[in-house]
Amino acid sequence: MAFEMRLFRAHFGTASHISFNASSIIRHAAVASHLTLEGAIGGIARLTKRLVEIKLGAYCEKRIPHHVRDQVRLSYVIRGNSVTLNEERIAFSQPGTWVTVPIAQFRYEDNGSWGLFCSDRNSKWHRYHQAKPSRDLDTLLAALDADQTGIFWG
């Protein structure tokens, strides 16, 4: 168990924002040996993908207050090595239709770290230089929340 915990912390940083138990780590022992992109299914290893789902699911849940979720919500899409965080709003001219706007993108890099990217007006992604790549996704989520330049949240 200690080895799996060290491996988990070395790959994902602190485990303070997610809950898991030793049996879930042991259950994924076969996947834990492939935490890099080698042997990954669809770009990101299964264990990495599951932890991204947990962390971003919690982030999306806490970011938008309950009383406005019928008007605005956050979602994410995992595609290959990237995870795109989106804001969804009801279309002004078409009630009942949701419009999706990409907010940020996290990219899993070959060295096991995550990079944070912002989109320009042409929907091209650029590295966000105010946040250094990190093995801890929570560090990049904190940089996204801080948004020192206003490029993510305006």
Side-chain angles (χ1 to χ4, degrees):
M1 189 336 240
F3 171 74
E4 286 86 0
M5 181 61 82
R6 280 194 306 273
L7 185 61
F8 179 86
R9 284 200 178 120
H11 188 68
F12 299 105
T14 180
S16 62
H17 289 76
I18 61 170
S19 57
F20 63 93
N21 58 37
S23 64
S24 68
I25 291 176
I26 293 168
R27 217 176 27 243
H28 297 291
V31 176
S33 65
H34 298 287
L35 288 176
T36 64
L37 293 178
E38 293 177 40
I41 305 294
I44 298 177
R46 285 185 210 144
L47 180 58
T48 304
K49 182 177 177 183
R50 182 64 187 128
L51 288 167
V52 166
E53 290 169 346
I54 290 168
K55 287 186 177 201
L56 278 177
Y59 180 83
C60 292
E61 182 73 20
K62 76 172 183 159
R63 180 82 181 165
I64 305 296
H66 287 283
H67 68 280
V68 296
R69 290 187 184 167
D70 61 334
Q71 300 167 30
V72 63
R73 60 189 179 203
L74 290 180
S75 64
Y76 60 91
V77 175
I78 300 173
R79 183 176 176 201
N81 300 347
S82 65
V83 181
T84 305
L85 180 68
N86 299 306
E87 181 181 80
E88 300 176 2
R89 292 183 173 269
I90 294 285
F92 179 73
S93 60
Q94 297 175 338
T97 303
W98 290 84
V99 176
T100 301
V101 178
I103 299 295
Q105 190 172 84
F106 305 93
R107 292 186 188 166
Y108 187 75
E109 299 170 356
D110 290 338
N111 64 3
S113 65
W114 289 93
L116 178 58
F117 290 75
C118 54
S119 180
D120 66 16
R121 67 176 185 233
N122 298 316
S123 300
K124 184 174 179 180
W125 294 101
H126 303 276
R127 183 174 297 277
Y128 182 64
H129 294 290
Q130 278 70 21
K132 294 179 181 177
S134 175
R135 290 182 175 264
D136 184 8
L137 194 56
D138 289 327
T139 301
L140 298 180
L141 288 171
L144 178 67
D145 274 340
D147 192 13
Q148 296 174 349
T149 62
I151 199 159
F152 299 110
W153 302 110

